[in-house]
Amino acid sequence: MPDRQVVILGAGFGGLYAALHLERALRRERSTRIVLLDKGNYHLFLPMLHEITSGGVEPRHVVRPLRPLFRKTRVDFRRAEVRSIDLEGRRILTDQGEVGYDYLVIALGSTTNFFSVDGAAETAFTLKSLKDAVGLRNHLLEMFERADLERDPDRRRRLLTFCLVGAGCTGVELATELQDLIQKTLLRNYPHLDGREVRLVLPEASGRIVPCVSSRLAWLGLDKLRRKGIEVRLHAPVIAVSEGAVTLADGKVVPTETVVWTAGVKANPIVEGLPVEKDELGRVIVDEYLELPQFPGAFALGDCAHCSDPRLQAPLPPTAQVAVQQARAVADTIAKALRGQAKRPFVYRHQGDLVSLGSGDGVGEIGGVAFSGLPAWLLWRAVFLGKLIGWKNRVRVALDWIVGAFFERDISKLEW
Amino acid sequence: MPDRQVVILGAGFGGLYAALHLERALRRERSTRIVLLDKGNYHLFLPMLHEITSGGVEPRHVVRPLRPLFRKTRVDFRRAEVRSIDLEGRRILTDQGEVGYDYLVIALGSTTNFFSVDGAAETAFTLKSLKDAVGLRNHLLEMFERADLERDPDRRRRLLTFCLVGAGCTGVELATELQDLIQKTLLRNYPHLDGREVRLVLPEASGRIVPCVSSRLAWLGLDKLRRKGIEVRLHAPVIAVSEGAVTLADGKVVPTETVVWTAGVKANPIVEGLPVEKDELGRVIVDEYLELPQFPGAFALGDCAHCSDPRLQAPLPPTAQVAVQQARAVADTIAKALRGQAKRPFVYRHQGDLVSLGSGDGVGEIGGVAFSGLPAWLLWRAVFLGKLIGWKNRVRVALDWIVGAFFERDISKLEW
C-alpha cells in the first residue's frame, strides 16, 4: 500500500483537534502521514484572550507549544505560513516550499470583518491574537498615564473613553473585564483622575447583545452591563472610525483614542481566494461531510467553512465548540475513507453557551438550564479551565485566578 | 517653614529604596515633598532577568508597579523621562516639563559598555531590560525553528551557536539557564537536530570568571560550567562582532547568529554628561556622604556613582546590594540635613554573593561561609525571592518555580 499524506492547515481549535483525533483514529494505519502546518509554533486558547488584556491571566498560560504535544506521535508539525492552496494539483504552497496531500483539512480560521467601515481597519484595535491582547493592554495603560498628565478636560475625557464596537461574546466579555480593571484597580491608583470622566461605550448594530445565547439571557446580560456602568447602545451601527472619534449611524460622535473592533469575522484571505462556492463572508460552502463538493478529499471546518445546520436553517456560528466537533467528524471521515468504509454526515450537537461578565458575574445556558450571576461565572471558569489543553496550563491559569483573588491586578505598562 | 522638595531620578534599586527610606525617615516632616521620576511605571527586579529569557519565570512577575506602592504615601511618582540635570539651577528637565529640587538623588543606573568593540553595539543583544530578555528569548526559539528547516550543516551549526561575551555574573547565570533550556527542553522537542551541533561559547577577556565572588569559588564555578558543556574561554577578548560571527583577539572566529553582550556597564549618558569629575566609566565621583563635592544637596548612588571603598582601595561594584545600602544612607543623610543634624559617612558592608548556575547548582559565599551545588542554588532562590518587592510577586515567582519543577519549560515563540 503506498504512503498517503493528510495535511492539516492551521493549529487553532479545528486544526489541532483534527490532528489529535486523526492520530488516534489512524493508530493502526502506520503508513499514513499526518502533517500539521501553522505559522506560529503554538496553539492559542482564544476564549481567554480578554483576560490577557485585563491582566487576569499571563499571556503564556493560554498558549500550548505544539512540538511537545506531538513529540511522541506520528504528527509531523511544521512551522510554515500557507501562501495558497492548489486544489486541482493537491498541493499547498508555503513560505517553506510545497507540500502535497491526499487528504486536506482546511482550518485556517478567520480574520476581523470591518464591514468596509471607513477608517476601521486602519485605526481600530482587534482581539484575534496574543499580540493584539498585549498591545491593547499596553495602550489602555498608556491612556491612563497620559490622562494623568493632561490638564485639558476635553482631551482627558477623550483619553479616558474606550469604545468597543459590537456587543457579541468577545465585545461583552472584554468590556466587563476592562470595566473591572478600570473601576477596581486603575482609578484607585490614579487618584488625580475622576471616575466620572471614564466611559466605556459599546455600540451594537443589531437590536440585542450576545447573539449566541437565548434572547432572555441576552436581555438579562444587557441589564447587568448597564448596571456596571457600560454604555451599551443598541441599533447603533458605526459608520466611521478616525483617530480621535467614532461616528454612529444616528450622527452621534464618540470622541475617543481607543476603538476595539469586536464586530465580527470573515474567512481567512487564502480561503476567500479558493476557486469554489463561498458565502458572503468568504467561507467555503461544504457538504454534509464537511467536504468541498468539487474536490473530494478536501475538507474545511471551523470559521472558514459555511456548514448549514438543517435544524437551524442557518450556517453554524464561528465558535470553538463547532470547530472542535467538526474536527472530530472530519478525522473520523478521513479514517473511514482510508479504510474504504462508508462516511457518515456531520451532525452538530449544541452543548450550551456561557458568557463571562467580569468578576463574579455571567450568563449562560447548558443542556437547557439557564444560569446567571456567580453560578454562571463559576461554571465559565470551570468549563474553560477544563478545555485548556494540557495540565500545565490548567494549573497555571487556576493559580493566576487564585493569586488574582488575593492581590490587586498589575498596572505596569511593559514595553515589548 | 517653606516647603522643600527631594527629587529622586530612577526607580531601580537605588532610586526605589531611596524613596521608600525617605518616606519612612521623613514621617514627621510633613512639609517635605518627595518626587520620584522614572520613564516606566514600574520597578524591574533585574537579578531574575535571565530566568525570563529561559522561560522559568513570567515577565510580569519580576515587575512591581510603582503607583500602588506609593498610593498611600507622600511620594509623588511621575512617569517622566529625564532629559538633563541642571545642577547649577537645581532643576531637572524632563519630557514632561521641569522639576525643581532642594535635594537630588541621582539613581539613573547604567547602560551596556561595549568598550568600542567593532559592531558590538549594532549587532549584539543586551540584557538590561524586560524587552531585552523577552526579545532574546524569542530570538533563541527562532534560531531553533530555523535550524530545524536548514539542510546546510554549516549554516545549521551557525544558527545553533550562541556566544555570550563576558563571564561576569550576568553572563554566567544566563549561560547556565540557557544551557538548561537547550539541553533539557529544546533538543527533546526538535528531534531532527543533533545536540552535538549546539554550542554555547563564553569568551572572557580576563583570566577568571565572576569577579564578584572569591577566586576559589570562581574556579569551582568554571569547572561546573565546563562540565555542563559551556565553552568558557579565558583571556579571550572579543575584538569584533558582525552579523554571523564573533572574532576573538587570538584571531579565532566563532560563526554565530546570536551574540549577547554581558561584558560590563557604564554610566547612563545623562550622568556621563554632567559637568563634574567622573571616572573612566562616566560615573560621577562622590564623597564619603555620596554627595557631589561641588554641589551640596545632590547625591549619586548605585551604578552611576563612583564611590571608593577605603578598605578595598577600589570603587564599589555596580551591584544591587551596593545601591540598596547607598539608598538607605542617602535617605538618612537627607533626613538629617532637613533636621539640621550632622551627617554620617557611608560605610559599605558586604553581605555576600550568590551565583546561580542553572537548575540545582550554584556557588556563593555569605558571612564568610562558602556554598556550592544544591545548597547554593536553594539559598539563591530563598534570598532573591525574599528580596522581591511585594508579596504578590514573591508568591507568583515561587509558584512559577514550583510549576517549573513539575512540567517542561515552554517553547512557544510568542510574537510581541
Side-chain angles (χ1 to χ4, degrees):
Chain A
M1 198 171 75
D3 277 3
R4 277 166 308 182
Q5 182 149 301
V6 183
V7 175
I8 301 168
L9 309 183
F13 281 106
L16 178 63
Y17 277 89
L20 292 169
H21 285 296
L22 259 176
E23 155 69 17
R24 214 166 301 156
L26 298 182
R27 204 142 276 177
R28 294 210 190 137
E29 280 99 280
R30 277 278 147 210
S31 65
T32 305
R33 272 193 302 259
I34 305 168
V35 178
L36 174 64
L37 305 178
D38 196 281
K39 64 178 194 290
N41 73 356
Y42 58 84
H43 165 75
L44 171 64
F45 191 73
L46 281 161
M48 284 183 189
L49 220 45
H50 60 281
E51 293 205 59
I52 308 300
T53 300
S54 71
V57 168
E58 286 303 320
R60 213 177 319 170
H61 298 177
V62 299
V63 155
R64 180 71 171 93
L66 293 168
R67 289 180 192 276
L69 196 60
F70 294 116
R71 189 165 58 212
K72 286 175 190 155
T73 72
R74 98 181 73 175
V75 177
D76 180 13
F77 168 70
R78 297 186 202 160
R79 197 193 61 168
E81 189 163 354
V82 176
R83 293 263 165 84
S84 70
I85 301 168
D86 175 5
L87 291 168
E88 297 281 357
R90 291 185 170 259
R91 61 195 185 129
I92 307 299
L93 278 79
T94 79
D95 60 348
Q96 307 293 339
E98 271 183 38
V99 187
Y101 65 80
D102 299 286
Y103 292 92
L104 175 68
V105 182
I106 304 171
L108 289 165
S110 54
T111 60
T112 302
N113 191 349
F114 293 104
F115 300 103
S116 311
V117 169
D118 249 14
E122 297 77 33
T123 317
F125 287 86
T126 54
L127 196 69
K128 290 287 285 178
S129 70
L130 210 53
K131 195 176 179 176
D132 286 351
V134 172
L136 178 57
R137 175 178 171 78
N138 278 343
H139 173 83
L140 188 83
L141 297 172
E142 181 64 28
M143 292 300 102
F144 272 80
E145 286 291 343
R146 279 207 232 155
D148 195 49
L149 297 164
E150 182 61 63
R151 306 264 166 98
D152 180 79
D154 281 342
R155 268 183 284 174
R156 197 167 56 234
R157 271 192 292 269
R158 193 170 68 219
L159 289 167
L160 295 175
T161 299
F162 306 97
C163 184
L164 278 65
V165 181
C169 242
T170 311
V172 163
E173 293 195 330
L174 181 63
T176 49
E177 273 288 311
L178 294 187
Q179 185 73 338
D180 270 6
L181 173 66
I182 291 168
Q183 299 296 330
K184 293 182 187 158
T185 309
L186 285 168
L187 286 173
R188 290 179 66 195
N189 287 299
Y190 290 84
H192 305 315
L193 298 180
D194 181 350
R196 288 166 300 182
E197 289 187 346
V198 181
R199 288 175 70 195
L200 210 60
V201 187
L202 196 54
E204 163 61 42
S206 80
R208 57 164 289 186
I209 67 165
V210 280
C212 53
V213 303
S214 73
S215 172
R216 194 174 68 85
L217 283 172
W219 289 109
L220 187 63
L222 178 64
D223 188 46
K224 284 173 181 286
L225 255 59
R226 289 191 166 145
R227 266 188 286 155
K228 280 172 189 278
I230 297 167
E231 299 176 37
V232 186
R233 308 247 181 116
L234 299 179
H235 304 294
V238 165
I239 56 167
V241 178
S242 64
E243 303 260 351
V246 168
T247 309
L248 306 180
D250 61 6
K252 288 220 177 80
V253 173
V254 181
T256 176
E257 297 283 331
T258 315
V259 185
V260 189
W261 199 266
T262 55
V265 298
K266 60 178 182 179
N268 187 299
I270 291 157
V271 172
E272 222 173 1
L274 287 177
V276 294
E277 205 189 339
K278 283 155 292 184
D279 68 5
E280 73 287 359
L281 296 177
R283 300 178 297 187
V284 297
I285 293 170
V286 292
D287 65 16
E288 69 269 40
Y289 307 105
L290 302 165
E291 211 160 359
L292 272 55
Q294 296 161 273
F295 297 97
F299 299 81
L301 53 79
D303 292 10
C304 53
H306 173 113
C307 170
S308 39
D309 188 341
R311 283 172 305 179
L312 283 176
Q313 301 263 313
L316 290 173
T319 64
Q321 64 172 313
V322 168
V324 169
Q325 289 186 34
Q326 290 180 333
R328 189 177 290 125
V330 165
D332 191 52
T333 303
I334 293 174
K336 282 197 163 62
L338 284 164
R339 294 187 200 116
Q341 298 167 335
K343 49 193 181 181
R344 270 192 311 199
F346 167 68
V347 181
Y348 174 63
R349 285 184 182 81
H350 189 67
Q351 294 170 320
D353 296 294
L354 284 165
V355 184
S356 146
L357 297 174
S359 152
D361 209 350
V363 291
E365 209 170 293
I366 288 188
V369 183
F371 300 85
S372 79
L374 189 64
W377 181 76
L378 290 172
L379 207 61
W380 190 98
R381 289 205 153 183
V383 166
F384 285 98
L385 195 65
K387 290 202 183 294
L388 270 168
I389 293 165
W391 279 100
K392 183 176 183 186
N393 284 353
R394 282 180 206 142
V395 168
R396 295 195 297 180
V397 169
L399 290 173
D400 283 346
W401 285 341
I402 292 167
V403 170
F406 288 97
F407 297 98
E408 195 178 74
R409 282 174 203 261
D410 284 307
I411 58 163
S412 304
K413 188 189 165 232
L414 307 181
E415 67 297 86
W416 56 36
Chain B
M1 199 171 78
D3 278 0
R4 278 166 307 183
Q5 183 150 298
V6 183
V7 174
I8 301 167
L9 309 183
F13 281 106
L16 178 63
Y17 278 88
L20 291 169
H21 285 295
L22 258 176
E23 155 70 16
R24 215 168 298 157
L26 298 182
R27 203 142 274 177
R28 294 206 189 143
E29 278 101 277
R30 277 275 150 211
S31 63
T32 305
R33 274 191 302 258
I34 305 168
V35 178
L36 174 65
L37 304 179
D38 196 282
K39 65 177 193 291
N41 73 356
Y42 58 84
H43 165 76
L44 171 65
F45 191 75
L46 282 161
M48 284 182 189
L49 220 45
H50 60 279
E51 292 205 58
I52 307 301
T53 301
S54 70
V57 168
E58 287 303 321
R60 214 176 319 170
H61 298 177
V62 298
V63 155
R64 180 71 170 92
L66 293 168
R67 290 179 191 277
L69 197 60
F70 293 116
R71 188 164 60 213
K72 287 176 188 154
T73 71
R74 95 181 74 175
V75 176
D76 180 14
F77 167 71
R78 296 186 203 160
R79 197 194 62 167
E81 190 163 352
V82 175
R83 295 265 164 83
S84 70
I85 300 168
D86 176 4
L87 291 168
E88 295 283 354
R90 289 183 171 263
R91 60 197 185 128
I92 308 299
L93 278 78
T94 79
D95 60 347
Q96 306 293 337
E98 270 183 38
V99 186
Y101 66 81
D102 298 287
Y103 292 92
L104 176 67
V105 182
I106 304 170
L108 289 165
S110 54
T111 61
T112 302
N113 191 351
F114 293 104
F115 301 102
S116 312
V117 169
D118 249 13
E122 298 76 32
T123 317
F125 286 86
T126 54
L127 196 69
K128 291 287 287 178
S129 70
L130 210 52
K131 195 176 179 176
D132 286 350
V134 172
L136 178 57
R137 175 178 172 79
N138 278 345
H139 173 82
L140 188 83
L141 296 171
E142 181 64 29
M143 292 301 101
F144 272 81
E145 286 291 343
R146 279 206 233 153
D148 195 48
L149 298 164
E150 182 60 63
R151 305 264 168 98
D152 180 80
D154 281 340
R155 267 182 286 174
R156 197 169 56 234
R157 271 193 292 268
R158 193 170 68 221
L159 290 167
L160 294 175
T161 299
F162 306 97
C163 184
L164 279 65
V165 181
C169 240
T170 311
V172 164
E173 293 195 331
L174 181 63
T176 49
E177 274 288 310
L178 294 187
Q179 185 72 340
D180 270 5
L181 173 67
I182 291 168
Q183 300 296 332
K184 293 183 188 159
T185 309
L186 285 168
L187 286 173
R188 289 180 64 195
N189 288 298
Y190 291 85
H192 305 315
L193 298 180
D194 181 350
R196 287 166 299 183
E197 288 187 347
V198 181
R199 288 175 69 193
L200 210 60
V201 187
L202 196 54
E204 162 62 40
S206 80
R208 59 166 285 188
I209 67 165
V210 279
C212 53
V213 303
S214 72
S215 172
R216 194 173 68 84
L217 284 171
W219 288 109
L220 187 62
L222 178 63
D223 187 48
K224 284 172 181 288
L225 255 59
R226 288 190 166 147
R227 266 188 288 153
K228 279 171 189 277
I230 297 168
E231 298 176 37
V232 186
R233 308 247 182 115
L234 299 178
H235 303 293
V238 166
I239 56 166
V241 178
S242 64
E243 304 260 351
V246 168
T247 311
L248 305 180
D250 61 6
K252 288 220 175 81
V253 173
V254 181
T256 176
E257 297 283 331
T258 315
V259 185
V260 189
W261 199 267
T262 55
V265 298
K266 61 178 182 179
N268 186 300
I270 290 157
V271 171
E272 222 173 1
L274 287 177
V276 293
E277 206 189 336
K278 283 154 292 181
D279 69 5
E280 75 288 358
L281 297 177
R283 301 179 296 186
V284 296
I285 293 171
V286 293
D287 65 15
E288 70 267 41
Y289 307 105
L290 302 164
E291 211 160 0
L292 273 56
Q294 294 161 273
F295 297 97
F299 299 82
L301 53 78
D303 291 9
C304 53
H306 174 112
C307 169
S308 38
D309 188 340
R311 282 172 305 180
L312 284 175
Q313 302 263 313
L316 290 173
T319 63
Q321 63 172 316
V322 167
V324 168
Q325 289 187 33
Q326 290 179 334
R328 189 177 288 125
V330 165
D332 191 53
T333 302
I334 293 174
K336 281 199 164 61
L338 283 164
R339 296 187 198 116
Q341 298 167 338
K343 48 194 182 181
R344 270 193 309 202
F346 168 68
V347 180
Y348 173 63
R349 284 185 183 81
H350 190 65
Q351 294 171 319
D353 296 293
L354 283 166
V355 183
S356 146
L357 297 175
S359 154
D361 209 349
V363 291
E365 208 170 293
I366 288 187
V369 183
F371 301 85
S372 79
L374 189 63
W377 182 75
L378 290 171
L379 206 61
W380 189 98
R381 289 205 153 184
V383 166
F384 284 98
L385 196 65
K387 292 204 182 291
L388 270 168
I389 293 166
W391 279 101
K392 184 177 183 186
N393 284 354
R394 282 180 207 143
V395 168
R396 295 195 296 180
V397 168
L399 290 173
D400 283 345
W401 286 340
I402 291 167
V403 170
F406 289 98
F407 297 98
E408 194 178 75
R409 283 173 202 261
D410 285 308
I411 58 163
S412 305
K413 188 188 165 232
L414 307 180
E415 68 297 87
W416 55 35

